[in-house]
Amino acid sequence: MTKNVIVLGEVRDGDLRNVSFEGIAAAKTIADGGVVTAVLLGEQVNHLAPLMIQYGADRAVIVEDSKLASYTPDGYSQAFLAVVEQEKPDVIIFGHTAIGKDLSPKIASRLGSGLISDVVAIEAVGETIVFTRPIYSGKAFEKKIISDGMIFVTIRPNNIVSFEKDTARTGDVSSISVEIKDLRTIVREVAKKAVKGVDLSEAKVIISGGRGVKSKEGFKTLQKLADVLGGAVGASRGACDADYCDYSLQIGQTGKVVTPDLYIACGISGAIQHLAGMSNSKIVVAINKDPEANIFNIADYGIVGDLFEVVPMLTEELQNLLV
Ligand code: FAD
């Protein structure tokens, strides 16, 4: 049965996050010939609408307002509810990001709708759309189907493959005027942590360090490997607690959940709370000097050795290979 689906295009630093394009691919599977509409909220987002269409959306709806320049729960809820009221979609897709996780339950509960969160796969089985999501910190997966009524879905970044950009695609772009009022939060300034390079939650390659990295200096060794592979540096909580790196790098149950193509765990023991954030990575390589370390139980490739010998060696070899 065809469905009309809307997808929030998530804007960060003036650009669309990749999960927005992955959302469109997810929407196409669900829509089954219905209309896929991209929604853009922000201050100056009009120019991003064609990009959502080039990645597969049929049309785009925009709400532009200076009060939407930064995310606030009140402002975005008001704008998004106005879009939902106009479009009356069957399914609404957000990224399973900080914004998506905050906004989707808020609006879903306001509308009395259901929410399937943290979806990692969507497939059509006959007439039925089946949503797969991890449970028990990623140790098992459950499959959900939609019954009647409007439903919200959040998709985990890096799991659903987006379409190739097609610059020939065009579609209708329209605006809605919404009076954004009674904001309980006003963002006066956004102070950014200076995190170098690729965004961890969307990185295809992550070089992650644990307590075994031993110092801030040690993390520079990992950064070199990440630079060669075009990846990002992550960390265990052990490393963050020891102040070897910033907490924004923490991966795990109480940190970021990542699904890169390649995860290289260096000096990480593989505690269950760490695995909760990375065990769905496509390929895991573990470097640890303890052959009994738990990380080897989930690794596709294991290197028993001192990371201060192995990582520089790998970096050099890959550097030579990739030039
Ligand atoms: P360790 O367990 O100390 O392991 C260090 C490893 O480095 C060892 O295996 C050692 O063999 C190896 N090593 C040492 N030197 C070298 C060397 N030179 N070369 C190679 N290997 C070396 N943890 C997370 O990571 N993320 C979370 O989100 C998280 N949430 C938590 C939530 C709760 C409620 C609790 C209770 C804990 C949480 N933890 C989390 C902590 C978790 O239980 C572990 O304590 C933590 O993951 C351990 O970090 P680690 O592997 O870096 O350190």
Side-chain angles (χ1 to χ4, degrees):
M1 204 176 75
T2 62
K3 292 192 186 305
N4 291 333
V5 185
I6 65 177
V7 182
L8 177 69
E10 204 177 301
V11 181
R12 189 163 58 188
D13 299 335
D15 276 328
L16 283 161
R17 297 190 65 181
N18 286 339
V19 71
S20 315
F21 310 133
E22 293 160 6
I24 294 170
K28 284 279 184 191
T29 306
I30 299 165
D32 192 20
V35 177
V36 173
T37 303
V39 176
L40 291 163
L41 315 177
E43 190 175 18
Q44 283 172 348
V45 289
N46 195 28
H47 64 289
L48 298 171
L51 200 53
M52 290 295 274
I53 292 169
Q54 286 167 8
Y55 273 96
D58 298 307
R59 55 192 281 273
V61 173
I62 294 166
V63 184
E64 282 189 316
D65 193 302
S66 58
K67 294 191 187 109
L68 299 172
S70 288
Y71 174 73
T72 62
D74 287 339
Y76 265 51
S77 301
Q78 288 173 33
F80 206 86
L81 277 164
V83 176
V84 171
E85 200 172 298
Q86 174 180 290
E87 299 294 321
K88 305 205 176 359
D90 301 299
V91 180
I92 295 146
I93 299 184
F94 292 93
H96 196 68
T97 59
I99 289 179
K101 284 189 267 185
D102 192 53
L103 194 59
S104 56
K106 203 178 300 298
I107 304 179
S109 66
R110 187 84 67 84
L111 296 171
S113 304
L115 166 66
I116 307 178
S117 66
D118 201 10
V119 167
V120 294
I122 299 174
E123 57 178 331
V125 181
E127 292 271 283
T128 311
I129 302 294
V130 180
F131 298 83
T132 305
R133 62 186 299 275
I135 50 172
Y136 305 122
S137 298
K139 287 197 283 299
F141 291 90
E142 67 172 357
K143 291 189 183 290
K144 297 230 174 213
I145 56 168
I146 306 175
S147 51
D148 288 336
M150 187 189 291
I151 189 95
F152 285 72
V153 175
T154 66
I155 58 161
R156 187 184 283 196
N158 256 350
N159 279 266
I160 291 161
V161 180
S162 57
F163 299 131
E164 290 289 317
K165 184 170 153 185
D166 176 359
T167 48
R169 267 182 76 84
T170 54
D172 178 60
V173 179
S174 60
S175 298
I176 305 185
S177 166
V178 183
E179 192 195 349
I180 310 289
K181 56 185 182 191
D182 304 330
L183 296 184
R184 286 170 293 182
T185 321
I186 292 169
V187 179
R188 298 224 177 272
E189 189 192 352
V190 179
K192 289 218 167 126
K193 287 218 168 113
V195 176
K196 209 182 134 199
V198 186
D199 174 15
L200 188 55
S201 50
E202 294 195 337
K204 298 281 181 206
V205 175
I206 295 178
I207 317 299
S208 204
R211 221 177 334 238
V213 177
K214 293 192 174 73
S215 65
K216 283 193 170 128
E217 203 53 35
F219 264 83
K220 290 187 184 158
T221 314
L222 305 193
Q223 184 67 56
K224 281 184 197 151
L225 180 54
D227 289 345
V228 169
L229 291 172
V233 170
S236 71
R237 180 157 136 189
C240 300
D241 284 345
D243 199 24
Y244 301 160
C245 59
D246 193 86
Y247 277 104
S248 60
L249 301 191
Q250 185 184 319
I251 290 165
Q253 188 181 315
T254 45
K256 292 197 168 76
V257 176
V258 295
T259 326
D261 292 341
L262 173 64
Y263 188 91
I264 306 185
C266 310
I268 293 178
S269 58
I272 190 77
Q273 295 89 351
H274 186 76
L275 303 190
M278 48 62 71
S279 59
N280 290 322
S281 303
K282 291 177 189 84
I283 292 180
V284 176
V285 176
I287 304 169
N288 198 303
K289 63 182 185 185
D290 174 9
E292 301 296 323
N294 191 45
I295 192 79
F296 288 126
N297 292 326
I298 62 125
D300 299 285
Y301 300 94
I303 302 174
V304 178
D306 185 334
L307 72 93
F308 294 104
E309 288 170 22
V310 177
V311 174
M313 235 190 288
L314 260 181
T315 309
E316 200 185 320
E317 286 297 321
L318 288 166
Q319 211 155 22
N320 293 337
L321 258 179
L322 296 173
V323 279

